[in-house]
Amino acid sequence: MKKYSEMSKGELSAVHGELNAKFGGYRKMGKKLNMTRGVPSDDQLALSDGMLTCLSAGDYKAANGADCRNYGGLDGIPEVKKIFADLLDLTQDEVVISGNSSLALMFDNVAVNMSHGVRDGEPWQKQGKVKFLCPSPGYDRHFTICNYFHIDMIPVEMGEDGPDMDFIEKAVSSDPMIKGIWCVPKYSNPTGIVYSEETVRRFARLKPAADDFRIYWDNAYAIHDLGGTYKTIPNIVRLCEEYGNPNMPYVFASFSKVSFAGAAISCIASSKSNCEYIKKRLTAQTIGPDKLSQLRHARFFKDAEGVMAHMKKHAEILRPKFKLVSDTLNRELGGLGIAAWTEPMGGYFVSLDALEGCAKRIVALCAEAGVALTPAGATYPNGNDPKDSNIRIAPTFPPLSELGEALEIFCDAVKLASVEKFLN
Amino acid sequence: MKKYSEMSKGELSAVHGELNAKFGGYRKMGKKLNMTRGVPSDDQLALSDGMLTCLSAGDYKAANGADCRNYGGLDGIPEVKKIFADLLDLTQDEVVISGNSSLALMFDNVAVNMSHGVRDGEPWQKQGKVKFLCPSPGYDRHFTICNYFHIDMIPVEMGEDGPDMDFIEKAVSSDPMIKGIWCVPKYSNPTGIVYSEETVRRFARLKPAADDFRIYWDNAYAIHDLGGTYKTIPNIVRLCEEYGNPNMPYVFASFSKVSFAGAAISCIASSKSNCEYIKKRLTAQTIGPDKLSQLRHARFFKDAEGVMAHMKKHAEILRPKFKLVSDTLNRELGGLGIAAWTEPMGGYFVSLDALEGCAKRIVALCAEAGVALTPAGATYPNGNDPKDSNIRIAPTFPPLSELGEALEIFCDAVKLASVEKFLN
């Protein structure tokens, strides 16, 4: 393979002509292929179909005797609290179970801290312009929440072991208006990296200038390994406790990519004391989450071990898709010097860095060819990737054959945009 | 029956001695009877047990082809939108379906207007001290929401046809910081009255000083009739449209007392334009409500007619309980001149007004005798019933026999507190 940077103008023109012709063809074919979002496939959903029918007519009582059909119970039935507590290695009074959307939990948690303050402290919104640190590339919906609440986002560079901790330590200890940071510590969205033990420890021993600084620890892929070695990350709640910051982390987890994406259960985990504050608000806010959905999860999975066994089935389905991404990118783009990408061992995404200034063009070319990708820039605060380089690939939803087609077109788009760059 | 007010001191003392002795007995019996909250009974929940099993393993697609197991769909599947739209006599783009708690919808709607303003206008919280009108006695959880958001509550007197509209018209048209009013227009909580057509029309043609004034129309008992004549109230959304206030009302409804109290679905209804604003926020806030729960409701009830037929079964169970309340109160308290009460044709409560200054004492006496009631004052803003007179009776949850026992003790408590008042 010859690097594009080492090609002559003539060689580049030849490649350009070839790729242009290919795209002419793609445009005519009118494909409809989708790699936009981290959505489970039909096969994965089918793994949990037993949950549709796992309750019989007389089965509606939780272990504590609660009638799951009726009112009552703000923080989850014991069976489900135990499953989450076991998976997160916490106690049951360190978890609060919620509805089907952990995103809604995060949104609500930011909302309450803005309007009512952390643990009844001075509301963030009354203190001045609130800022969040945003390791980038990151999860676009985290950034959307900040945008919604007019929170300034400070991008933080991501490395192989997590975000730039030197930067974070300095920023957090010097600026009391930095109130939060978004983290996806395991199989980070979109790069797929796993925070190292040292990174997690540095988080736990942060010395924030603001005593109402909080870590939003979105452990969305806590148990979403592709197989092989099961990665573990240190327990942020325990470590924060150990380093004298017991109330600093909010951990979020959900079964959206365990059972049914649209009808699962979610959880916020933190110190027991933080959980008490959360429950206090819930008393004014809601009659409590859907307990029958919780009971279905408890009956279907039985316990944390049942969940882990189930995740192996997800991995069986996902592994070939991630392998196809890796194989295709290596075969088509390897050695050309026009892109770098990650090869995650879990999670839902592959992240690709194209040449600077090429991401938007690649996404546009794909769109013309019928391949929908996450908008370029979406992985950065305010949709602004300063290098216009990062693209998030979401390979989970399409069947393998469609994924293959989409990846072929995608690689051609990366090549074409790169050639155009060299020719201009 | 001789009125207490016409009894001699001697007669009162005799009654007092008798009742005191009875309470001595009650205290020893250690009963545990509960009339605190509007909770459906086991019998009522059993009416919907078919919903536990109504989905088969292959049944997860909505009418629009959406896979209810997966992500997607912010405002409800078409089947459920149609059921709510038909029940509320609105179109499908005037309803947004939500999770299992309409209370959470109301809370969230107040939260967004406080922090982000009505329809992207100036946030309420930036305009000064926000005030809500609170027809009282009313629903304690409405008042709790106001308390949570530090909203001043202005009590408005309730009559037979709804709240005091003269007062409301004057207040709303003169004070731009009055931003909302809580209404339970049909079988009002707790008095059980139904707003008259004229009352509803006067609401629709309010001329608020604040263009971001909103009517919180909690139609919690829209179809919760006890049988007999089905009461209808005018369509507030249509009327507001007609009078040039199309975006003024937010209507809330839920199936909490139709299917399963803890695992139902809820709905906010308003102008199409308001619904667009609501959906805009949802995009940042959530992945959308649980669609499998929606599908279960659609399969089980089929359509609005199915829902109405189901409500007749609820009425069969509830009617004897409300009759027992009425019979007992009439038999025990009739003619004594110490209490007035309502005889609602639907809803979940009976409201009793004791002599001034007696409500707290009655609730305390009941507690000593093992009968739990809603705290006295709870039906007023800040828990403050200025006359200390109103008590909410919630007869739905206990089985008939227990309800009978509880009512006997309750009536004796009303008598004892009244006698005490006359003797002091």
Side-chain angles (χ1 to χ4, degrees):
Chain A
M1 283 289 167
K2 197 168 185 179
K3 285 193 178 172
Y4 279 23
S5 61
E6 291 162 2
M7 285 187 186
S8 66
K9 193 127 192 176
E11 285 173 311
L12 286 168
S13 289
V15 173
H16 184 251
E18 211 176 285
L19 288 166
N20 242 343
K22 261 181 141 174
F23 267 84
Y26 290 150
R27 284 185 198 101
K28 273 183 209 143
M29 281 153 67
K31 293 267 178 201
K32 280 202 168 185
L33 302 165
N34 195 317
M35 293 196 296
T36 52
R37 301 220 59 99
V39 173
S41 64
D42 294 351
D43 288 2
Q44 289 178 269
L45 295 168
L47 295 175
S48 301
D49 274 355
M51 231 174 68
L52 293 169
T53 54
C54 68
L55 290 188
S56 56
D59 186 13
Y60 46 74
K61 291 235 168 168
N64 59 354
D67 185 332
C68 294
R69 303 170 304 177
N70 217 334
Y71 289 121
L74 276 180
D75 61 346
I77 63 173
E79 296 92 318
V80 164
K81 292 188 77 163
K82 179 163 167 49
I83 290 177
F84 271 102
D86 287 351
L87 289 172
L88 296 169
D89 199 13
L90 295 170
T91 64
Q92 288 186 45
D93 48 16
E94 290 168 325
V95 299
V96 173
I97 309 303
S98 188
N100 70 320
S101 172
S102 63
L103 184 73
L105 258 178
M106 294 178 224
F107 180 97
D108 194 62
N109 187 288
V110 172
V112 62
N113 289 343
M114 286 297 281
S115 65
H116 286 70
V118 170
R119 299 167 64 84
D120 296 340
E122 180 78 353
W124 283 351
Q125 68 191 6
K126 287 200 177 163
Q127 297 182 43
K129 189 71 180 169
V130 176
K131 303 173 198 168
F132 263 51
L133 298 177
C134 297
S136 305
Y139 180 32
D140 56 345
R141 280 178 173 278
H142 290 160
F143 305 152
T144 303
I145 291 175
C146 280
N147 254 323
Y148 186 81
F149 287 102
H150 312 296
I151 293 172
D152 272 356
M153 290 178 270
I154 303 170
V156 179
E157 218 163 297
M158 279 293 280
E160 301 270 299
D161 291 332
D164 180 344
M165 291 309 297
D166 292 340
F167 180 90
I168 290 170
E169 283 165 352
K170 211 174 288 175
V172 162
S173 64
S174 61
D175 185 348
M177 284 315 296
I178 294 180
K179 298 300 188 188
I181 182 167
W182 291 111
C183 297
V184 183
K186 188 171 166 185
Y187 305 130
S188 185
N189 178 351
T191 65
I193 66 105
V194 180
Y195 288 18
S196 69
E197 168 152 3
E198 180 55 13
T199 297
V200 180
R201 284 191 178 272
R202 287 176 77 178
F203 265 107
R205 53 176 193 248
L206 284 173
K207 295 279 167 254
D211 65 2
D212 54 0
F213 168 83
R214 289 296 176 263
I215 300 170
Y216 286 75
W217 198 256
D218 183 2
N219 209 347
Y221 310 107
I223 52 173
H224 302 60
D225 302 77
L226 288 174
T229 321
Y230 179 72
K231 294 255 185 185
T232 53
I233 56 169
N235 185 330
I236 188 77
V237 173
R238 284 289 161 276
L239 280 182
C240 283
E241 199 173 76
E242 194 178 303
Y243 287 112
N245 289 317
N247 302 316
M248 191 164 66
Y250 298 125
V251 176
F252 301 92
S254 95
F255 272 29
S256 291
K257 287 162 182 122
V258 177
S259 60
F260 294 139
I265 49 179
S266 63
C267 161
I268 182 168
S270 195
S271 66
K272 186 181 167 189
S273 168
N274 273 354
C275 288
E276 292 302 327
Y277 274 94
I278 291 163
K279 281 185 261 183
K280 206 177 102 182
R281 171 174 165 98
L282 289 178
T283 306
Q285 183 171 22
T286 177
I287 56 148
D290 185 325
K291 292 188 298 298
L292 282 177
S293 178
Q294 293 175 42
L295 192 66
R296 278 188 199 95
H297 281 82
R299 293 286 184 266
F300 184 68
F301 290 110
K302 293 187 176 65
D303 52 27
E305 271 179 37
V307 175
M308 294 311 293
H310 189 80
M311 292 313 288
K312 289 203 172 135
K313 299 181 198 163
H314 279 290
E316 296 295 322
I317 295 170
L318 290 174
R319 213 158 40 227
K321 295 186 177 180
F322 278 82
K323 186 171 183 308
L324 183 59
V325 176
S326 169
D327 289 351
T328 310
L329 295 180
N330 276 304
R331 188 184 68 233
E332 295 294 324
L333 303 178
L336 300 181
I338 57 174
W341 56 90
T342 56
E343 305 210 342
M345 305 299 293
Y348 266 63
F349 302 103
V350 171
S351 174
L352 181 135
D353 285 322
L355 296 176
E356 280 197 41
C358 286
K360 279 193 183 132
R361 176 67 180 148
I362 292 166
V363 172
L365 282 168
C366 282
E368 291 171 18
V371 176
L373 290 170
T374 311
T379 54
Y380 281 77
N382 302 309
N384 177 26
D385 173 1
K387 294 184 180 164
D388 184 27
S389 155
N390 185 254
I391 294 173
R392 185 179 80 167
I393 301 170
T396 58
F397 185 70
L400 262 182
S401 60
E402 285 185 20
L403 179 64
E405 284 187 88
L407 287 166
E408 296 280 344
I409 294 171
F410 171 72
C411 287
D412 283 338
V414 175
K415 290 182 200 169
L416 180 50
S418 306
V419 165
E420 286 172 352
K421 181 181 156 107
F422 281 111
L423 284 173
N424 284 332
Chain B
M1 282 288 167
K2 194 167 186 180
K3 284 193 180 172
Y4 279 23
S5 60
E6 293 162 0
M7 285 186 187
S8 66
K9 193 128 191 175
E11 286 172 311
L12 287 167
S13 288
V15 173
H16 184 251
E18 210 177 287
L19 288 165
N20 241 343
K22 261 182 141 174
F23 267 84
Y26 291 150
R27 285 187 197 99
K28 275 182 208 143
M29 280 155 67
K31 294 266 177 201
K32 280 204 168 184
L33 302 164
N34 195 317
M35 293 197 296
T36 52
R37 301 219 61 97
V39 172
S41 65
D42 294 351
D43 288 3
Q44 289 179 269
L45 295 168
L47 295 175
S48 302
D49 274 355
M51 232 175 67
L52 293 169
T53 55
C54 67
L55 291 188
S56 57
D59 187 13
Y60 46 74
K61 291 236 168 166
N64 60 355
D67 186 331
C68 294
R69 303 169 304 176
N70 217 334
Y71 289 122
L74 276 180
D75 60 347
I77 63 173
E79 296 92 319
V80 165
K81 292 188 78 162
K82 181 164 167 43
I83 289 177
F84 271 103
D86 287 350
L87 289 172
L88 296 169
D89 198 14
L90 296 169
T91 65
Q92 287 187 46
D93 48 16
E94 290 167 326
V95 299
V96 173
I97 308 303
S98 189
N100 69 320
S101 171
S102 63
L103 183 73
L105 257 177
M106 294 177 223
F107 180 97
D108 194 61
N109 186 289
V110 172
V112 61
N113 289 343
M114 286 297 282
S115 65
H116 285 72
V118 170
R119 299 167 63 85
D120 295 340
E122 181 77 352
W124 284 349
Q125 68 191 9
K126 286 200 177 163
Q127 297 181 44
K129 190 70 181 168
V130 176
K131 303 173 199 167
F132 264 50
L133 298 178
C134 297
S136 305
Y139 179 33
D140 55 346
R141 281 179 173 277
H142 290 160
F143 306 153
T144 302
I145 292 175
C146 280
N147 254 324
Y148 187 82
F149 287 101
H150 312 294
I151 293 172
D152 272 355
M153 289 178 272
I154 303 170
V156 178
E157 217 163 297
M158 280 293 282
E160 301 271 299
D161 291 333
D164 180 345
M165 291 309 297
D166 292 341
F167 180 90
I168 291 170
E169 284 166 353
K170 210 175 290 176
V172 162
S173 64
S174 61
D175 185 348
M177 285 314 296
I178 294 180
K179 298 301 189 187
I181 183 167
W182 292 112
C183 297
V184 182
K186 189 171 165 184
Y187 304 131
S188 186
N189 178 351
T191 65
I193 66 107
V194 180
Y195 288 17
S196 69
E197 167 151 5
E198 179 56 13
T199 296
V200 180
R201 284 191 179 272
R202 286 175 77 177
F203 266 107
R205 53 177 193 246
L206 283 173
K207 295 279 167 257
D211 65 2
D212 54 0
F213 168 83
R214 290 294 177 264
I215 300 170
Y216 286 75
W217 198 255
D218 183 1
N219 209 347
Y221 311 107
I223 52 175
H224 302 59
D225 301 78
L226 286 176
T229 320
Y230 180 72
K231 295 252 186 186
T232 53
I233 56 168
N235 185 329
I236 186 77
V237 173
R238 284 289 162 275
L239 280 183
C240 283
E241 199 174 78
E242 193 180 302
Y243 288 112
N245 288 319
N247 301 316
M248 192 164 64
Y250 299 124
V251 176
F252 301 92
S254 95
F255 272 28
S256 291
K257 286 161 182 123
V258 177
S259 61
F260 294 139
I265 48 179
S266 64
C267 160
I268 182 169
S270 195
S271 67
K272 186 180 167 189
S273 169
N274 273 355
C275 288
E276 293 301 328
Y277 274 94
I278 290 164
K279 282 186 259 182
K280 206 176 103 183
R281 171 175 164 98
L282 289 177
T283 307
Q285 184 171 21
T286 177
I287 57 149
D290 186 325
K291 292 188 297 299
L292 282 176
S293 179
Q294 293 176 42
L295 192 65
R296 278 187 201 95
H297 281 82
R299 293 286 184 268
F300 183 68
F301 290 108
K302 293 187 177 64
D303 51 27
E305 272 180 36
V307 175
M308 295 311 294
H310 189 81
M311 293 314 288
K312 289 203 172 133
K313 299 181 198 163
H314 279 289
E316 294 297 323
I317 296 170
L318 290 174
R319 212 159 38 228
K321 295 187 177 181
F322 278 81
K323 185 171 183 308
L324 183 59
V325 176
S326 169
D327 289 352
T328 311
L329 295 180
N330 276 304
R331 187 185 67 233
E332 297 293 325
L333 303 178
L336 300 182
I338 57 174
W341 56 90
T342 56
E343 305 210 343
M345 304 299 292
Y348 266 62
F349 303 104
V350 170
S351 175
L352 181 135
D353 284 323
L355 297 176
E356 280 197 39
C358 287
K360 278 192 183 133
R361 176 66 181 149
I362 292 166
V363 172
L365 282 169
C366 282
E368 290 170 19
V371 176
L373 290 170
T374 311
T379 54
Y380 281 77
N382 303 308
N384 177 27
D385 173 0
K387 295 184 180 165
D388 184 27
S389 155
N390 186 252
I391 293 174
R392 185 179 80 167
I393 301 170
T396 58
F397 185 69
L400 262 182
S401 59
E402 287 185 19
L403 179 63
E405 286 186 87
L407 288 165
E408 298 279 344
I409 295 172
F410 172 73
C411 288
D412 282 338
V414 175
K415 290 183 202 169
L416 180 51
S418 306
V419 165
E420 287 172 351
K421 182 182 155 105
F422 282 109
L423 284 172
N424 284 332

